[in-house]
Amino acid sequence: MQTTPSANRRRVRPRPVGAALLSLCLLTGCAGDSPSALNPGGAGATRISGLWWLLFWISVAVFVEVMALMTWALVFRRGAVRVRHSQPMRFVAVAGAGLPFVILVTVYGFGLHDLAALGKSPGRDAPTIEVIGHRWWWEVRYQGASGVTANELHIPVGERVRVRLRTDDVLHSFWVPQLMPKTDLIAGQERQTWLQAERAGSYRGQCAEYCGTQHAHMAFMVVAEPRADFDAWVGRLDAPARAPETDAERRGQQAFVQGTCAACHSIRGTDAQGKVGPDLSDVGSRWSIGAGAVPNDPGHLGGWIANSQTVKPGNYMPPQPVSADQLPELIAYLQSLK
C-alpha cells in the first residue's frame, strides 16, 4: 500500500524551535556588556561573583557525586555484592553529615568575610553622592555642588565613592549589578553604600524593589571616568545651564520658562525653579528619557513632552499644552542643554 503525502507530513517531527530560541536567549545573556554581577567591573561585584562561582562549582561537584552514586546503585544493585552492616552507617555519617557540614561552614565563612568587606565604609575623604528615589526616577546630588541632576551618576575610576540613599515616597532598592549588591531605600531612614569601578565606562543600574506601575522603567546609569573629568563634571553643576545660541533655542527657552514646564522642572540660571520633577539643566546629555523608558533623541523627546503617558503610563507628568509651532523649538532648546 502506498503512503499518502498527508501521512508523510504527519510523520515529520517539528523542528525544535523552542529549544533554539531558548538557546539564543541564554547566549544573549552572555554579552560582554551585560549588566550582570557575573561580569564585574568593581571590587564589590567581584566579591559577589567569586562567591557565586564558589557555590556553583560546589553544586556541580555535589551533582556529579549524586549521579555517580545513583549509577553505581543501578548497576550493582542486582549483583551479589555483600555489604557489612557498618559500611552504610559510616557512609551516611561521612557523606551525609560530615561533608555537608564542612561545605556549609566553609561557604558561611567566605560569606561573612565578603559581607564584612562590602559593609566597610569608604574613607572620610571619599567623594559623596546623595541619591533620592522617586516614583519613578532618581535625584542625584554631589557633595560640595549646588546643582542637581537625575538618573545618572558620575564617579572617578579606581576610587571608592560613598553613596547616601533615601526615598521620597515608597520603598526602592539601589542596584548596580556590575559594581555592588542591592541596598534598600527605606522611608524615614538614610542608608549608605559605596561604588568603585576599576575601569572607565558606563554601568547600568536599576531599582530592584517593586515600587509601582513603572518599576521596570526606573533605571539609571553610572559613568566611571578619570578623576579630572569627574572634577570637571561636578564643577559644571555650580554653573548656569548652557545659554541658547540660536533663535530657535531662544524661543524654546522662552516657551519653557513661560509655559507649564517651569512649574515642575528647573534649569540653572533661568526663572524655571520647579521642584516636582527632575532638574533639566543637562537633559540633552543624559543617556535616556524617563529613567530608561526611551532613548534621548528629538523624536522621543517630542513624544514625551506632548504626552508622556503614552511613553510611561502612570508617571506624574500630564500632557503639555505645547503648540505645533513651539514644540520643535522647545525640543531644540532642551537638546542643547549639555
Side-chain angles (χ1 to χ4, degrees):
M1 183 178 68
Q2 292 183 346
T3 304
T4 63
S6 60
N8 287 333
R9 285 195 297 269
R10 285 195 296 269
R11 291 179 184 176
V12 177
R13 295 183 179 180
R15 295 179 179 179
V17 178
L21 291 176
L22 178 60
S23 299
L24 288 175
C25 291
L26 293 175
L27 288 174
T28 56
C30 300
D33 58 349
S34 173
S36 168
L38 301 184
N39 180 27
T46 298
R47 288 188 174 276
I48 300 298
S49 176
L51 187 60
W52 189 93
W53 283 111
L54 174 65
L55 292 171
F56 174 79
W57 289 116
I58 289 175
S59 301
V60 169
V62 171
F63 175 80
V64 171
E65 180 187 8
V66 170
M67 292 298 102
L69 291 174
M70 186 176 68
T71 302
W72 180 85
L74 292 174
V75 172
F76 292 103
R77 66 178 181 174
R78 295 181 181 180
V81 178
R82 298 185 63 182
V83 180
R84 290 179 297 178
H85 179 71
S86 61
Q87 288 178 335
M89 295 303 298
R90 188 182 302 116
F91 177 79
V92 171
V94 174
L99 187 58
F101 176 79
V102 172
I103 293 174
L104 290 175
V105 169
T106 301
V107 172
Y108 185 65
F110 277 106
L112 287 179
H113 181 265
D114 289 337
L115 187 63
L118 292 171
K120 187 177 180 180
S121 298
R124 293 183 178 180
D125 297 332
T128 300
I129 302 175
E130 182 182 12
V131 178
I132 305 169
H134 300 270
R135 285 190 296 181
W136 289 273
W137 59 282
W138 302 89
E139 181 180 347
V140 183
R141 299 174 178 269
Y142 292 80
Q143 186 179 46
S146 59
V148 184
T149 185
N151 305 322
E152 190 170 295
L153 286 75
H154 286 242
I155 63 174
V157 175
E159 298 183 36
R160 286 198 179 191
V161 176
R162 181 184 293 106
V163 183
R164 291 175 176 163
L165 303 162
R166 60 186 177 92
T167 174
D168 188 53
D169 36 59
V170 300
L171 299 182
H172 300 287
S173 188
F174 182 87
W175 186 31
V176 189
Q178 292 179 269
L179 299 181
M180 275 296 278
K182 307 170 187 174
T183 303
D184 291 339
L185 282 65
I186 301 174
Q189 297 184 21
E190 181 181 277
R191 308 301 302 279
Q192 182 171 298
T193 186
W194 55 269
L195 297 174
Q196 182 178 359
E198 300 299 337
R199 60 180 184 270
S202 298
Y203 302 89
R204 182 182 171 117
Q206 178 68 42
C207 177
E209 178 78 24
Y210 181 73
C211 53
T213 307
Q214 290 297 329
H215 162 68
H217 290 149
M218 190 173 172
F220 59 96
M221 191 68 71
V222 177
V223 180
E225 55 196 1
R227 180 69 192 213
D229 294 340
F230 169 75
D231 291 338
W233 162 261
V234 175
R236 286 196 295 271
L237 294 178
D238 289 324
R242 177 183 177 275
E245 296 180 353
T246 66
D247 291 339
E249 291 175 3
R250 281 187 281 271
R251 288 192 295 268
Q253 183 189 57
Q254 185 177 14
F256 185 96
V257 173
Q258 297 180 356
T260 57
C261 301
C264 296
H265 298 281
S266 59
I267 295 178
R268 295 190 303 274
T270 72
D271 293 334
Q273 296 297 321
K275 303 298 182 183
V276 178
D279 186 298
L280 301 181
S281 300
D282 61 346
V283 65
S285 63
R286 292 177 189 169
W287 69 286
S288 73
I289 299 171
V294 290
N296 188 1
D297 56 46
H300 287 98
L301 181 57
W304 179 269
I305 295 171
N307 188 357
S308 67
Q309 299 302 318
T310 62
V311 180
K312 191 174 180 177
N315 81 88
Y316 293 159
M317 179 174 169
Q320 299 301 301
V322 180
S323 67
D325 294 334
Q326 287 181 320
L327 185 58
E329 297 170 343
L330 183 56
I331 293 172
Y333 171 61
L334 293 175
Q335 286 280 292
S336 73
L337 297 176
K338 300 180 180 179

